[in-house]
């Protein structure tokens, strides 16, 4: 599959990025209806005492991706539930995050998201149920 980058969707998706300094390097590489991908350079400040990226930061990246992917369908949303699976340790440095909508209804969205190493190996995956909010005015 060839990655698409719809600039309008990418700009809309960026409103889901939290204002913390650790997110400053986030760059969207794919934005299409129902799909999002971004790269981020996870800094040392998000490492746990083992030297790996802390699970809380990985979960934050996945939730950001879930919200972003819902906005590619022009659906304002908040997270209802998440199920995160930590597969392998995530090293500090570049990470790839992908999200895809598997269901978009009138009141809920289901998004599947993953964090990958630069070589494409799966590090963390999650499924989110999102609640559809009224459009912003």
């Amino acid at each position: 599959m060839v990655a698409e980058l719809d600039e309008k969707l990418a700009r809309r998706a960026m409103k889901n990025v939290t204002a913390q300094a650790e997110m400053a390097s986030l760059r969207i590489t794919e934005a299409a209806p129902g799909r999002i991908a971004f790269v981020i350079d996870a800094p040392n400040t998000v490492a746990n005492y083992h030297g790996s990226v802390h699970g809380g930061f990985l979960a934050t990246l996945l939730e950001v991706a879930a919200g972003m992917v819902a906005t590619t369908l022009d659906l304002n949303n908040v997270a209802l539930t998440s199920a995160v699976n930590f597969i392998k340790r995530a090293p500090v440095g570049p990470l790839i995050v992908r999200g895809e909508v598997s269901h978009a209804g009138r009141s809920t969205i289901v998004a599947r998201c993953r964090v990958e190493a630069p070589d494409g190996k799966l590090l963390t995956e999650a499924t989110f149920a999102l609640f559809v909010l009224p459009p912003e005015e």
Side-chain angles (χ1 to χ4, degrees):
M1 177 186 313
V2 176
E4 255 183 87
L5 183 56
D6 181 317
E7 294 289 341
K8 183 178 176 184
L9 291 180
R11 281 191 303 279
R12 186 183 313 149
M14 283 301 290
K15 75 177 185 172
N16 284 282
V17 179
T18 58
Q20 62 198 77
E22 291 83 4
M23 302 296 263
S25 69
L26 187 150
R27 184 175 57 84
I28 294 177
T29 57
E30 180 179 357
R35 281 194 335 267
I36 200 82
F38 61 84
V39 295
I40 189 165
D41 191 21
N44 287 325
T45 56
V46 299
N48 59 26
Y49 63 92
H50 298 293
S52 302
V53 176
H54 188 279
F57 186 72
L58 293 169
T60 297
L61 293 176
L62 292 163
E63 185 177 0
V64 166
M68 284 178 148
V69 76
T71 64
T72 68
L73 300 176
D74 204 21
L75 297 171
N76 194 18
N77 65 88
V78 293
L80 286 171
T81 65
S82 65
V84 180
N85 297 305
F86 301 99
I87 310 300
K88 292 183 178 190
R89 73 177 284 282
V92 167
L95 299 172
I96 300 163
V97 183
R98 300 181 191 282
E100 186 171 3
V101 170
S102 59
H103 165 76
R106 287 182 304 208
S107 61
T108 60
I109 304 159
V110 175
R112 294 190 176 138
C113 305
R114 57 191 286 139
V115 177
E116 301 172 353
D119 64 4
K121 288 190 177 156
L122 178 63
L123 304 174
T124 309
E125 64 182 358
T127 302
F128 287 85
L130 307 166
F131 181 70
V132 177
L133 297 171
E136 290 183 344
E137 308 248 343

